[in-house]
Amino acid sequence: NAGVTQTPKFQVLKTGQSMTLQCAQDMNHEYMSWYRQDPGMGLRLIHYSVGAGITDQGEVPNGYNVSRSTTEDFPLRLLSAAPSQTSVYFCASSYSGTSEQQFFGPGTRLTVL
Amino acid sequence: GENVEQHPSTLSVQEGDSAVIKCTYSDSASNYFPWYKQELGKGPQLIIDIRSNVGEKKDQRIAVTLNKTAKHFSLHITETQPEDSAVYFCAAEAGNMLTFGGGTRLMVKP
């Protein structure tokens, strides 16, 4: 199993550009989530999904969209990038929810100029 | 929503000493409290977790204690080794969401 994979590893955007961060898992996990990690602020939940076709907002959803058309994939879209979205983004998954081990991907480091 | 505070933000210990990291949470409905270790350039990995019906849990050199009344839980690492150097995060679960503390950078000096 590859586990949780994220692409790209690094990305530089200009303000106003859009892009999609990719996340995929091959463990047949129902629960998937996106976090952003900023220095001194830990990991903050952006969006999560409890299964295909179901998504919900986390703590910091503004400026981000998600969809979950398959169990395996959970892409994160930045519609109009802003410097405040410069961060490291982690995708995570688990078998059924948050009361169990989350498996994290390796992260995407995003810089918005 | 849930709020998790973690202290200290940095911790430096001598190899072989113990390290303790403390967290407090706000939502009394939280029932699951995991701890994650993050090495440089990698995603966090679960090292131990505890549920609200248990007061303490041990796994070799690592232990976690939970006081639900006071809403705080702690991570204890004994006989620290250089490979324990990393950033540690506590978290609390409520309503399909995990809320993380701000992290503790642990440095173990040989």
Side-chain angles (χ1 to χ4, degrees):
Chain A
N1 285 355
V4 180
T5 57
Q6 291 183 239
T7 56
K9 285 187 167 47
F10 302 94
Q11 183 70 49
V12 179
L13 292 177
K14 293 181 180 177
T15 297
Q17 286 185 315
S18 63
M19 80 158 296
T20 299
L21 307 186
Q22 301 291 346
C23 173
Q25 52 88 13
D26 61 357
M27 298 174 282
N28 203 31
H29 285 172
E30 291 295 329
Y31 184 90
M32 295 186 74
S33 55
W34 276 101
Y35 293 87
R36 60 177 288 173
Q37 183 174 30
D38 302 297
M41 300 188 71
L43 295 127
R44 291 183 293 168
L45 181 66
I46 304 171
H47 285 285
Y48 66 95
S49 169
V50 298
I54 307 169
T55 63
D56 208 342
Q57 295 181 350
E59 181 186 357
V60 289
N62 292 343
Y64 307 94
N65 276 359
V66 292
S67 60
R68 184 101 179 265
S69 56
T70 66
T71 299
E72 295 78 18
D73 301 296
F74 191 44
L76 178 73
R77 297 184 188 86
L78 282 70
L79 302 177
S80 178
S84 60
Q85 295 178 304
T86 293
S87 189
V88 181
Y89 291 84
F90 287 99
C91 179
S93 73
S94 68
Y95 183 68
S96 64
T98 48
S99 297
E100 59 195 57
Q101 181 177 5
Q102 304 298 305
F103 293 84
F104 283 84
T108 294
R109 184 173 293 275
L110 175 68
T111 302
V112 183
L113 302 175
Chain B
E2 176 68 275
N3 183 47
V4 178
E5 301 276 347
Q6 182 171 346
H7 300 280
S9 56
T10 61
L11 179 59
S12 182
V13 300
Q14 208 64 37
E15 182 178 357
D17 287 350
S18 295
V20 180
I21 303 170
K22 299 183 179 182
C23 290
T24 60
Y25 63 98
S26 61
D27 190 342
S28 56
S30 293
N31 286 312
Y32 174 69
F33 307 91
W35 286 88
Y36 285 82
K37 176 183 180 182
Q38 185 179 29
E39 296 176 343
L40 194 62
K42 297 184 178 180
Q45 279 197 302
L46 180 74
I47 55 171
I48 195 167
D49 56 14
I50 190 167
R51 300 184 189 275
S52 59
N53 58 346
V54 174
E56 184 176 2
K57 183 176 179 181
K58 288 183 181 179
D59 183 3
Q60 299 183 350
R61 297 185 296 108
I62 295 174
V64 58
T65 58
L66 171 65
N67 183 325
K68 277 220 80 176
T69 303
K71 293 183 191 166
H72 66 71
F73 55 114
S74 301
L75 177 72
H76 304 252
I77 306 174
T78 59
E79 300 171 23
T80 53
Q81 301 167 3
E83 51 265 37
D84 293 329
S85 295
V87 179
Y88 292 81
F89 293 98
C90 63
E93 180 271 347
N96 271 332
M97 298 200 294
L98 269 181
T99 300
F100 284 83
T104 296
R105 181 174 298 279
L106 174 64
M107 293 169 286
V108 180
K109 295 177 288 187

